[in-house]
Amino acid sequence: MKKISVLTALMLILASSVFADKVSFNAKTIENKTVTEAIFEDAELTMINIWGTFCGPCINEMPDLAKLNRDYSEKGFQVVGIVIDSVNRKGLPVPKTVDAAKKIAKQTGADYIHIVPDIKLQSSLLAGVTAVPATVFVNKDGEIVGSVYTGSRSYEEWKKIVDKLMAK
């Protein structure tokens, strides 16, 4: 039997999680509340908007995402944000950035859940993110549906995408 190095084994484990079809995590919100993938069970479709506190287009679209969250909540839809720059390279929260995220969420009216990513999110869903905002959609089982959307969009543009995904 062939031996593999620890590094090779780790890379195989990471690769399998990066390409996983399900999003799973055990993280905190910017309000320091524990949150897991169980939040997806609350809606038929969840928009996961990955944003950064340094990103003007991310912040500019947040009021539209909040409106979308309110307008579609009774239709089985929700928006969840992930603040990509709220942790350092070791996966530890950066308090100054988390505070900035809280202020931005309040100023923009983005009253939906914003997650400080854990290592599972960093090594899976966020591993391939090269630009923000980036948005994916998941069903109630946490399975990714549709495409990955990069760049910000208006309320009307997001509405068309959500309507199309919810019709499936």
Side-chain angles (χ1 to χ4, degrees):
M1 176 155 51
K2 204 176 205 183
K3 289 185 179 179
I4 61 172
S5 72
V6 173
L7 181 59
T8 304
L10 182 60
M11 288 172 63
L12 288 171
I13 291 167
L14 269 177
S16 65
S17 66
V18 168
F19 297 107
D21 291 331
K22 280 185 122 174
V23 177
S24 68
F25 56 91
N26 185 355
K28 298 279 186 180
T29 68
I30 59 174
E31 303 302 336
N32 203 33
K33 294 180 181 161
T34 300
V35 64
T36 70
E37 67 274 1
I39 62 169
F40 301 138
E41 297 170 4
D42 296 339
E44 293 297 318
L45 184 69
T46 299
M47 169 192 262
I48 302 174
N49 180 257
I50 303 161
W51 65 281
T53 59
F54 57 88
C55 171
C58 300
I59 295 164
N60 290 339
E61 79 173 343
M62 290 171 78
D64 286 342
L65 297 182
K67 180 173 173 30
L68 196 66
N69 189 55
R70 285 188 304 274
D71 291 352
Y72 278 75
S73 66
E74 291 184 17
K75 297 178 183 179
F77 174 81
Q78 67 181 344
V79 176
V80 171
I82 297 178
V83 190
I84 198 165
D85 61 330
S86 62
V87 292
N88 63 23
R89 290 183 182 178
K90 294 179 182 177
L92 301 172
V94 179
K96 187 176 177 181
T97 308
V98 173
D99 287 343
K102 286 182 200 177
K103 288 177 187 168
I104 291 166
K106 185 175 181 179
Q107 288 170 345
T108 61
D111 54 358
Y112 46 88
I113 294 171
H114 297 275
I115 298 171
V116 175
D118 67 352
I119 196 68
K120 277 184 168 181
L121 280 172
Q122 286 180 298
S123 63
S124 62
L125 182 65
L126 302 180
V129 175
T130 57
V132 290
T135 303
V136 296
F137 293 87
V138 297
N139 63 19
K140 66 183 334 158
D141 297 319
E143 299 164 332
I144 296 174
V145 295
S147 301
V148 176
Y149 298 88
T150 55
S152 63
R153 288 171 172 70
S154 69
Y155 174 85
E156 288 301 321
E157 291 168 315
W158 280 125
K159 186 177 178 301
K160 287 178 188 173
I161 293 166
V162 170
D163 285 342
K164 183 178 176 182
L165 288 171
M166 291 191 75
K168 290 183 180 181

